[in-house]
mmCIF file of all heavy atoms in Angstrom:
data_model
loop_
_atom_site.group_PDB
_atom_site.id
_atom_site.type_symbol
_atom_site.label_atom_id
_atom_site.label_comp_id
_atom_site.label_asym_id
_atom_site.label_seq_id
_atom_site.Cartn_x
_atom_site.Cartn_y
_atom_site.Cartn_z
ATOM 1 N N MET E 209 55.660 3.650 141.534
ATOM 2 C CA MET E 209 56.102 2.545 142.384
ATOM 3 C C MET E 209 55.259 1.259 142.124
ATOM 4 O O MET E 209 54.124 1.367 141.617
ATOM 5 C CB MET E 209 55.949 2.903 143.856
ATOM 6 C CG MET E 209 57.027 3.895 144.389
ATOM 7 S SD MET E 209 56.917 4.181 146.144
ATOM 8 C CE MET E 209 57.412 2.593 146.779
ATOM 9 N N GLU E 210 55.870 0.142 142.410
ATOM 10 C CA GLU E 210 55.063 -1.055 142.316
ATOM 11 C C GLU E 210 54.341 -1.315 143.606
ATOM 12 O O GLU E 210 54.828 -1.039 144.692
ATOM 13 C CB GLU E 210 56.043 -2.251 142.040
ATOM 14 C CG GLU E 210 55.320 -3.561 141.765
ATOM 15 C CD GLU E 210 56.247 -4.668 141.436
ATOM 16 O OE1 GLU E 210 57.497 -4.511 141.629
ATOM 17 O OE2 GLU E 210 55.809 -5.692 140.935
ATOM 18 N N GLY E 211 53.093 -1.786 143.476
ATOM 19 C CA GLY E 211 52.261 -2.073 144.630
ATOM 20 C C GLY E 211 52.692 -3.330 145.287
ATOM 21 O O GLY E 211 53.678 -3.977 144.942
ATOM 22 N N PHE E 212 51.925 -3.815 146.262
ATOM 23 C CA PHE E 212 52.255 -4.957 147.044
ATOM 24 C C PHE E 212 51.752 -6.223 146.450
ATOM 25 O O PHE E 212 50.673 -6.237 145.823
ATOM 26 C CB PHE E 212 51.727 -4.777 148.471
ATOM 27 C CG PHE E 212 52.122 -3.555 149.116
ATOM 28 C CD1 PHE E 212 51.165 -2.737 149.778
ATOM 29 C CD2 PHE E 212 53.456 -3.098 149.116
ATOM 30 C CE1 PHE E 212 51.523 -1.566 150.393
ATOM 31 C CE2 PHE E 212 53.795 -1.881 149.742
ATOM 32 C CZ PHE E 212 52.864 -1.132 150.395
ATOM 33 N N SER E 213 52.513 -7.315 146.637
ATOM 34 C CA SER E 213 52.013 -8.609 146.273
ATOM 35 C C SER E 213 51.352 -9.207 147.474
ATOM 36 O O SER E 213 51.930 -9.663 148.459
ATOM 37 C CB SER E 213 53.247 -9.481 145.892
ATOM 38 O OG SER E 213 52.778 -10.810 145.630
ATOM 39 N N TYR E 214 49.969 -9.189 147.435
ATOM 40 C CA TYR E 214 49.216 -9.636 148.611
ATOM 41 C C TYR E 214 49.273 -11.092 148.823
ATOM 42 O O TYR E 214 48.755 -11.597 149.909
ATOM 43 C CB TYR E 214 47.767 -9.104 148.461
ATOM 44 C CG TYR E 214 47.684 -7.629 148.621
ATOM 45 C CD1 TYR E 214 47.559 -6.783 147.512
ATOM 46 C CD2 TYR E 214 47.743 -7.021 149.912
ATOM 47 C CE1 TYR E 214 47.533 -5.399 147.655
ATOM 48 C CE2 TYR E 214 47.688 -5.618 150.027
ATOM 49 C CZ TYR E 214 47.538 -4.862 148.914
ATOM 50 O OH TYR E 214 47.547 -3.490 149.022
ATOM 51 N N GLY E 215 49.859 -11.832 147.940
ATOM 52 C CA GLY E 215 50.064 -13.259 148.156
ATOM 53 C C GLY E 215 51.272 -13.558 149.010
ATOM 54 O O GLY E 215 51.492 -14.738 149.360
ATOM 55 N N SER E 216 52.102 -12.554 149.221
ATOM 56 C CA SER E 216 53.318 -12.769 150.042
ATOM 57 C C SER E 216 53.005 -13.130 151.438
ATOM 58 O O SER E 216 52.037 -12.646 151.981
ATOM 59 C CB SER E 216 54.201 -11.521 150.010
ATOM 60 O OG SER E 216 54.543 -11.208 148.682
ATOM 61 N N LYS E 217 53.829 -14.018 151.993
ATOM 62 C CA LYS E 217 53.587 -14.459 153.343
ATOM 63 C C LYS E 217 54.826 -14.173 154.266
ATOM 64 O O LYS E 217 55.906 -14.019 153.796
ATOM 65 C CB LYS E 217 53.275 -15.964 153.381
ATOM 66 C CG LYS E 217 52.060 -16.392 152.542
ATOM 67 C CD LYS E 217 51.837 -17.892 152.591
ATOM 68 C CE LYS E 217 50.664 -18.325 151.766
ATOM 69 N NZ LYS E 217 50.438 -19.775 151.748
ATOM 70 N N GLY E 218 54.526 -14.130 155.589
ATOM 71 C CA GLY E 218 55.572 -13.943 156.549
ATOM 72 C C GLY E 218 55.867 -12.492 156.874
ATOM 73 O O GLY E 218 55.343 -11.583 156.285
ATOM 74 N N ASN E 219 56.787 -12.386 157.858
ATOM 75 C CA ASN E 219 57.119 -10.998 158.303
ATOM 76 C C ASN E 219 57.830 -10.206 157.340
ATOM 77 O O ASN E 219 57.797 -8.941 157.317
ATOM 78 C CB ASN E 219 57.947 -11.170 159.609
ATOM 79 C CG ASN E 219 57.168 -11.717 160.778
ATOM 80 O OD1 ASN E 219 55.886 -11.551 160.793
ATOM 81 N ND2 ASN E 219 57.791 -12.301 161.735
ATOM 82 N N SER E 220 58.600 -10.829 156.437
ATOM 83 C CA SER E 220 59.397 -10.081 155.484
ATOM 84 C C SER E 220 58.463 -9.244 154.509
ATOM 85 O O SER E 220 58.795 -8.124 154.275
ATOM 86 C CB SER E 220 60.206 -11.071 154.577
ATOM 87 O OG SER E 220 60.927 -10.337 153.621
ATOM 88 N N GLY E 221 57.347 -9.844 154.120
ATOM 89 C CA GLY E 221 56.400 -9.091 153.301
ATOM 90 C C GLY E 221 55.810 -7.944 154.013
ATOM 91 O O GLY E 221 55.702 -6.830 153.477
ATOM 92 N N LEU E 222 55.506 -8.073 155.323
ATOM 93 C CA LEU E 222 55.025 -7.002 156.167
ATOM 94 C C LEU E 222 56.009 -5.886 156.311
ATOM 95 O O LEU E 222 55.706 -4.714 156.199
ATOM 96 C CB LEU E 222 54.630 -7.550 157.509
ATOM 97 C CG LEU E 222 53.446 -8.532 157.583
ATOM 98 C CD1 LEU E 222 53.290 -9.044 158.980
ATOM 99 C CD2 LEU E 222 52.154 -7.914 157.137
ATOM 100 N N ASP E 223 57.287 -6.286 156.496
ATOM 101 C CA ASP E 223 58.369 -5.257 156.569
ATOM 102 C C ASP E 223 58.458 -4.490 155.310
ATOM 103 O O ASP E 223 58.643 -3.245 155.393
ATOM 104 C CB ASP E 223 59.729 -5.966 156.968
ATOM 105 C CG ASP E 223 59.769 -6.430 158.376
ATOM 106 O OD1 ASP E 223 58.932 -6.072 159.155
ATOM 107 O OD2 ASP E 223 60.685 -7.305 158.624
ATOM 108 N N ILE E 224 58.486 -5.153 154.163
ATOM 109 C CA ILE E 224 58.654 -4.403 152.869
ATOM 110 C C ILE E 224 57.471 -3.468 152.715
ATOM 111 O O ILE E 224 57.646 -2.278 152.271
ATOM 112 C CB ILE E 224 58.697 -5.372 151.768
ATOM 113 C CG1 ILE E 224 59.962 -6.245 151.813
ATOM 114 C CG2 ILE E 224 58.530 -4.721 150.359
ATOM 115 C CD1 ILE E 224 60.042 -7.323 150.776
ATOM 116 N N ALA E 225 56.291 -3.851 153.123
ATOM 117 C CA ALA E 225 55.139 -2.912 153.018
ATOM 118 C C ALA E 225 55.349 -1.725 153.870
ATOM 119 O O ALA E 225 55.111 -0.515 153.473
ATOM 120 C CB ALA E 225 53.851 -3.595 153.444
ATOM 121 N N GLY E 226 55.906 -1.894 155.085
ATOM 122 C CA GLY E 226 56.140 -0.795 155.974
ATOM 123 C C GLY E 226 57.224 0.177 155.371
ATOM 124 O O GLY E 226 57.034 1.416 155.436
ATOM 125 N N TYR E 227 58.281 -0.355 154.849
ATOM 126 C CA TYR E 227 59.335 0.462 154.199
ATOM 127 C C TYR E 227 58.748 1.181 153.041
ATOM 128 O O TYR E 227 59.083 2.354 152.764
ATOM 129 C CB TYR E 227 60.455 -0.443 153.809
ATOM 130 C CG TYR E 227 61.472 -0.756 154.835
ATOM 131 C CD1 TYR E 227 61.123 -1.610 155.962
ATOM 132 C CD2 TYR E 227 62.767 -0.265 154.857
ATOM 133 C CE1 TYR E 227 62.036 -1.913 156.921
ATOM 134 C CE2 TYR E 227 63.632 -0.502 155.789
ATOM 135 C CZ TYR E 227 63.309 -1.302 156.859
ATOM 136 O OH TYR E 227 64.199 -1.599 157.879
ATOM 137 N N ALA E 228 57.903 0.503 152.215
ATOM 138 C CA ALA E 228 57.334 1.134 151.070
ATOM 139 C C ALA E 228 56.387 2.258 151.416
ATOM 140 O O ALA E 228 56.421 3.292 150.735
ATOM 141 C CB ALA E 228 56.533 0.100 150.202
ATOM 142 N N TYR E 229 55.652 2.131 152.458
ATOM 143 C CA TYR E 229 54.750 3.177 152.872
ATOM 144 C C TYR E 229 55.532 4.437 153.376
ATOM 145 O O TYR E 229 55.156 5.558 153.126
ATOM 146 C CB TYR E 229 53.797 2.775 153.945
ATOM 147 C CG TYR E 229 52.503 2.146 153.376
ATOM 148 C CD1 TYR E 229 52.137 0.866 153.637
ATOM 149 C CD2 TYR E 229 51.665 2.990 152.623
ATOM 150 C CE1 TYR E 229 51.014 0.310 153.076
ATOM 151 C CE2 TYR E 229 50.489 2.433 152.137
ATOM 152 C CZ TYR E 229 50.194 1.109 152.275
ATOM 153 O OH TYR E 229 49.055 0.550 151.740
ATOM 154 N N CYS E 230 56.713 4.217 153.960
ATOM 155 C CA CYS E 230 57.557 5.336 154.372
ATOM 156 C C CYS E 230 58.003 6.084 153.148
ATOM 157 O O CYS E 230 58.041 7.306 153.147
ATOM 158 C CB CYS E 230 58.769 4.809 155.163
ATOM 159 S SG CYS E 230 58.442 4.554 156.933
ATOM 160 N N LEU E 231 58.376 5.325 152.106
ATOM 161 C CA LEU E 231 58.869 5.934 150.817
ATOM 162 C C LEU E 231 57.727 6.637 150.166
ATOM 163 O O LEU E 231 57.866 7.814 149.628
ATOM 164 C CB LEU E 231 59.502 4.930 149.953
ATOM 165 C CG LEU E 231 60.020 5.490 148.612
ATOM 166 C CD1 LEU E 231 61.007 6.619 148.844
ATOM 167 C CD2 LEU E 231 60.639 4.371 147.781
ATOM 168 N N ARG E 232 56.535 6.044 150.150
ATOM 169 C CA ARG E 232 55.396 6.713 149.525
ATOM 170 C C ARG E 232 55.056 8.037 150.181
ATOM 171 O O ARG E 232 54.814 9.032 149.496
ATOM 172 C CB ARG E 232 54.148 5.834 149.605
ATOM 173 C CG ARG E 232 54.146 4.549 148.771
ATOM 174 C CD ARG E 232 52.919 3.740 148.867
ATOM 175 N NE ARG E 232 52.915 2.523 148.199
ATOM 176 C CZ ARG E 232 51.904 1.680 148.041
ATOM 177 N NH1 ARG E 232 50.771 2.059 148.574
ATOM 178 N NH2 ARG E 232 51.952 0.532 147.367
ATOM 179 N N LYS E 233 55.156 8.022 151.445
ATOM 180 C CA LYS E 233 54.916 9.312 152.225
ATOM 181 C C LYS E 233 55.949 10.369 151.840
ATOM 182 O O LYS E 233 55.618 11.556 151.617
ATOM 183 C CB LYS E 233 54.928 9.067 153.668
ATOM 184 C CG LYS E 233 54.654 10.311 154.588
ATOM 185 C CD LYS E 233 54.616 9.983 156.046
ATOM 186 C CE LYS E 233 54.270 11.134 156.892
ATOM 187 N NZ LYS E 233 55.301 12.192 156.885
ATOM 188 N N ALA E 234 57.210 9.946 151.741
ATOM 189 C CA ALA E 234 58.265 10.891 151.380
ATOM 190 C C ALA E 234 58.103 11.451 149.998
ATOM 191 O O ALA E 234 58.325 12.657 149.707
ATOM 192 C CB ALA E 234 59.615 10.252 151.566
ATOM 193 N N LEU E 235 57.659 10.571 149.064
ATOM 194 C CA LEU E 235 57.411 10.971 147.674
ATOM 195 C C LEU E 235 56.266 11.951 147.589
ATOM 196 O O LEU E 235 56.275 12.908 146.880
ATOM 197 C CB LEU E 235 57.256 9.769 146.781
ATOM 198 C CG LEU E 235 58.395 8.918 146.555
ATOM 199 C CD1 LEU E 235 58.023 7.555 145.902
ATOM 200 C CD2 LEU E 235 59.465 9.529 145.738
ATOM 201 N N PHE E 236 55.213 11.621 148.370
ATOM 202 C CA PHE E 236 54.030 12.444 148.411
ATOM 203 C C PHE E 236 54.344 13.834 148.884
ATOM 204 O O PHE E 236 53.878 14.820 148.328
ATOM 205 C CB PHE E 236 53.014 11.720 149.332
ATOM 206 C CG PHE E 236 51.692 12.508 149.484
ATOM 207 C CD1 PHE E 236 50.682 12.400 148.607
ATOM 208 C CD2 PHE E 236 51.545 13.364 150.587
ATOM 209 C CE1 PHE E 236 49.506 13.140 148.772
ATOM 210 C CE2 PHE E 236 50.390 14.093 150.757
ATOM 211 C CZ PHE E 236 49.342 13.995 149.835
ATOM 212 N N GLU E 237 55.171 13.941 149.923
ATOM 213 C CA GLU E 237 55.576 15.240 150.472
ATOM 214 C C GLU E 237 56.403 16.035 149.540
ATOM 215 O O GLU E 237 56.333 17.246 149.464
ATOM 216 C CB GLU E 237 56.276 15.028 151.754
ATOM 217 C CG GLU E 237 55.389 14.513 152.910
ATOM 218 C CD GLU E 237 56.089 14.163 154.171
ATOM 219 O OE1 GLU E 237 57.395 14.121 154.177
ATOM 220 O OE2 GLU E 237 55.425 14.037 155.241
ATOM 221 N N LYS E 238 57.251 15.357 148.725
ATOM 222 C CA LYS E 238 58.072 16.044 147.776
ATOM 223 C C LYS E 238 57.433 16.431 146.496
ATOM 224 O O LYS E 238 57.655 17.580 145.970
ATOM 225 C CB LYS E 238 59.328 15.169 147.444
ATOM 226 C CG LYS E 238 60.359 15.826 146.467
ATOM 227 C CD LYS E 238 61.609 15.089 146.426
ATOM 228 C CE LYS E 238 62.612 15.894 145.584
ATOM 229 N NZ LYS E 238 63.977 15.360 145.621
ATOM 230 N N TYR E 239 56.639 15.552 145.900
ATOM 231 C CA TYR E 239 56.014 15.800 144.617
ATOM 232 C C TYR E 239 54.531 16.051 144.603
ATOM 233 O O TYR E 239 53.967 16.521 143.636
ATOM 234 C CB TYR E 239 56.360 14.614 143.694
ATOM 235 C CG TYR E 239 57.798 14.390 143.485
ATOM 236 C CD1 TYR E 239 58.391 13.108 143.788
ATOM 237 C CD2 TYR E 239 58.645 15.306 142.904
ATOM 238 C CE1 TYR E 239 59.691 12.883 143.504
ATOM 239 C CE2 TYR E 239 59.958 15.110 142.711
ATOM 240 C CZ TYR E 239 60.528 13.862 143.030
ATOM 241 O OH TYR E 239 61.821 13.670 142.773
ATOM 242 N N GLY E 240 53.820 15.639 145.664
ATOM 243 C CA GLY E 240 52.379 15.830 145.642
ATOM 244 C C GLY E 240 51.651 14.607 145.115
ATOM 245 O O GLY E 240 52.299 13.774 144.468
ATOM 246 N N SER E 241 50.334 14.480 145.315
ATOM 247 C CA SER E 241 49.622 13.333 144.948
ATOM 248 C C SER E 241 49.451 13.173 143.450
ATOM 249 O O SER E 241 49.353 12.039 142.938
ATOM 250 C CB SER E 241 48.208 13.402 145.599
ATOM 251 O OG SER E 241 47.493 14.519 145.169
ATOM 252 N N THR E 242 49.444 14.281 142.690
ATOM 253 C CA THR E 242 49.242 14.151 141.241
ATOM 254 C C THR E 242 50.428 13.650 140.497
ATOM 255 O O THR E 242 50.288 13.288 139.301
ATOM 256 C CB THR E 242 48.864 15.502 140.668
ATOM 257 O OG1 THR E 242 49.934 16.440 140.893
ATOM 258 C CG2 THR E 242 47.580 16.065 141.315
ATOM 259 N N LYS E 243 51.539 13.585 141.120
ATOM 260 C CA LYS E 243 52.770 13.074 140.425
ATOM 261 C C LYS E 243 53.104 11.612 140.847
ATOM 262 O O LYS E 243 54.165 11.142 140.397
ATOM 263 C CB LYS E 243 53.993 14.016 140.738
ATOM 264 C CG LYS E 243 53.753 15.475 140.313
ATOM 265 C CD LYS E 243 53.753 15.604 138.825
ATOM 266 C CE LYS E 243 53.559 17.023 138.332
ATOM 267 N NZ LYS E 243 54.696 17.886 138.679
ATOM 268 N N LEU E 244 52.309 11.046 141.770
ATOM 269 C CA LEU E 244 52.614 9.704 142.240
ATOM 270 C C LEU E 244 51.608 8.725 141.709
ATOM 271 O O LEU E 244 50.398 8.918 141.783
ATOM 272 C CB LEU E 244 52.553 9.769 143.763
ATOM 273 C CG LEU E 244 52.860 8.420 144.494
ATOM 274 C CD1 LEU E 244 54.273 7.985 144.218
ATOM 275 C CD2 LEU E 244 52.691 8.666 146.027
#
């Protein structure tokens, strides 16, 4: 996955980070830490 652009501003960037963390967690649960 691509990481976050910390230069992004506004609520939209915060929302995308939240959505991305939900997906990271789901991928972690399916494949484990060594595959991510």
Side-chain angles (χ1 to χ4, degrees):
M209 287 186 67
E210 186 175 14
F212 307 131
S213 175
Y214 289 100
S216 299
K217 298 178 181 179
N219 291 336
S220 180
L222 294 174
D223 286 345
I224 291 173
Y227 276 70
Y229 272 117
C230 277
L231 179 56
R232 290 182 184 186
K233 181 176 183 293
L235 292 169
F236 178 85
E237 291 173 347
K238 181 166 184 171
Y239 298 124
S241 61
T242 60
K243 300 293 180 69
L244 180 62

